[in-house]
Amino acid sequence: MPAVTADTVRLPRLAEPALGAVDRPVRTVTTAPTGFEGEGFPVRRAFAGVRLTDLDPFIHMDQMGAVDYGPGEPKGTPWHPHRGFETVTYMIDGTFQHQDSHGGGGLITDGATQWMTAGAGILHIETPPAELVMRGGLFHGIQLWVNLPARDKFTPPRYQNLEAGQVELAASPDGGALLRVIAGEVGEHRGPGSTHTPIAVVHATVSPGARVHVPWNPEFNALVYVLGGRGTVGPAARPIEAGQLAVLGAGDLVTVAADARQDAATPALEVLLLGGRPIREHVEAYGPFVMNTRAELIQAVEDFQAGKLGVIPAGALMPHRG
């Protein structure tokens, strides 16, 4: 980890914090419980125990893996529906193959991101390709659910394939941290993801003993999730480690620092920085549907059962059975 690396000496740099910039304090730190998703691949439920009002506009996030599969062990998901939000699948290591009922699809591998706007409704599948099932290998990624405001709940489905080389790369002023901007803006650096809801998604690698001050839109909330390693977050240097989520308070700067000593398996602090403009609408969620009212949830289930959210295309991908 991670798949996308670069020489920070040659990258454009973040600007030094502006005079008077407010460093966002830590409000809460929670530890993600473990579980299983799809056909049985291990996940950490990153947002478990956190209020939706603190996550808004995000709904759900799983850290998939990291797990080193043996031959025949990789698993994925069966075909399933979504309505009312966007799914973001970011593969740090390994490969997932995606297909949906609206013609979107392809391989998501080694730093690439698949952005699917479910909108009015879609069916999709994510499964390891046959060659990965045969040989096994490292599997590590993130799936994030981004809510859609009521006006966009029934927008036509859309698929974006963001290859690793499209991600905007930047370094901290001293070169001690590498930032991969997947969506949104960090200072003058903009990621390639096109979103209905204004958000920012950044994967940062902070070298042992280094610190980075990341400019952050004061209109956005701010979340820091640790993918691996140990360090601190915020002006009071709150300790944080792998599998923990920090919810930050108001301000226009996010500070993350790596401990001088890291585990051999994770030589640096790896964090996912997330934020967005809160939608501030009532949310009703049931399984793969995220709507605004209970009646809309009932309608979503009925529409799925009636085949109105799409059909599995001929020659479709199917789950790999171990």
Side-chain angles (χ1 to χ4, degrees):
M1 178 171 65
V4 177
T5 59
D7 183 357
T8 56
V9 173
R10 300 178 180 273
L11 291 177
R13 303 299 175 96
L14 295 177
E16 294 284 358
L19 186 64
V22 177
D23 199 349
R24 289 181 177 240
V26 176
R27 291 174 50 204
T28 62
V29 173
T30 53
T31 300
T34 58
F36 293 92
E37 189 55 78
E39 297 181 307
F41 57 87
V43 298
R44 298 197 74 158
R45 308 292 191 188
F47 293 164
V50 182
R51 299 182 307 168
L52 277 178
T53 52
D54 289 332
L55 300 172
D56 188 11
F58 305 112
I59 297 292
H60 171 83
M61 189 171 80
D62 280 339
Q63 180 182 9
M64 305 180 295
V67 57
D68 197 358
Y69 283 123
E73 291 181 344
K75 300 175 177 66
T77 69
W79 282 91
H80 59 281
H82 287 301
R83 173 180 277 180
F85 62 102
E86 298 182 292
T87 67
V88 182
T89 304
Y90 172 48
M91 288 304 301
I92 300 168
D93 290 294
T95 304
F96 241 11
Q97 193 168 5
H98 166 89
Q99 188 177 8
D100 65 49
S101 55
H102 282 257
L107 287 176
I108 320 163
T109 183
D110 293 342
T113 302
Q114 165 232 293
W115 206 295
M116 187 183 76
T117 303
I122 199 168
L123 304 181
H124 84 140
I125 185 174
E126 290 167 310
T127 187
E131 58 270 23
L132 179 62
V133 175
M134 291 178 62
R135 61 178 167 80
L138 186 60
F139 176 78
H140 187 202
I142 289 289
Q143 182 161 105
L144 173 69
W145 291 11
V146 185
N147 196 16
L148 289 169
R151 66 177 182 275
D152 292 331
K153 287 291 187 188
F154 291 90
T155 193
R158 185 178 63 157
Y159 176 82
Q160 299 176 67
N161 186 44
L162 308 176
E163 296 296 344
Q166 295 175 260
V167 171
E168 176 79 3
L169 300 179
S172 58
D174 64 359
L178 169 65
L179 282 75
R180 306 159 191 84
V181 186
I182 298 168
E185 297 178 2
V186 173
E188 298 179 352
H189 308 280
R190 171 181 283 276
S194 175
T195 69
H196 283 271
T197 304
I199 65 171
V201 179
V202 181
H203 175 191
T205 299
V206 188
S207 300
R211 182 184 308 271
V212 60
H213 304 286
V214 184
W216 209 251
N217 188 333
E219 296 181 2
F220 287 9
N221 64 351
L223 310 170
V224 178
Y225 180 75
V226 182
L227 299 165
R230 296 187 305 272
T232 63
V233 61
R238 177 78 173 266
I240 194 168
E241 61 184 23
Q244 292 189 320
L245 177 81
V247 176
L248 307 187
D252 44 24
L253 194 69
V254 174
T255 297
V256 178
D259 285 357
R261 291 191 176 186
Q262 301 289 336
D263 296 333
T266 309
L269 174 66
E270 303 284 349
V271 296
L272 198 67
L273 310 179
L274 303 166
R277 182 176 296 131
I279 297 172
R280 296 190 176 92
E281 293 177 349
H282 182 71
V283 171
E284 290 282 349
Y286 176 74
F289 308 121
V290 179
M291 307 303 293
N292 295 105
T293 68
R294 186 167 295 274
E296 290 174 338
L297 284 182
I298 294 171
Q299 188 64 55
V301 173
E302 292 177 349
D303 287 350
F304 168 60
Q305 293 172 339
K308 295 180 181 179
L309 269 63
V311 296
I312 299 175
L317 296 172
M318 298 303 293
H320 293 283
R321 306 297 181 185

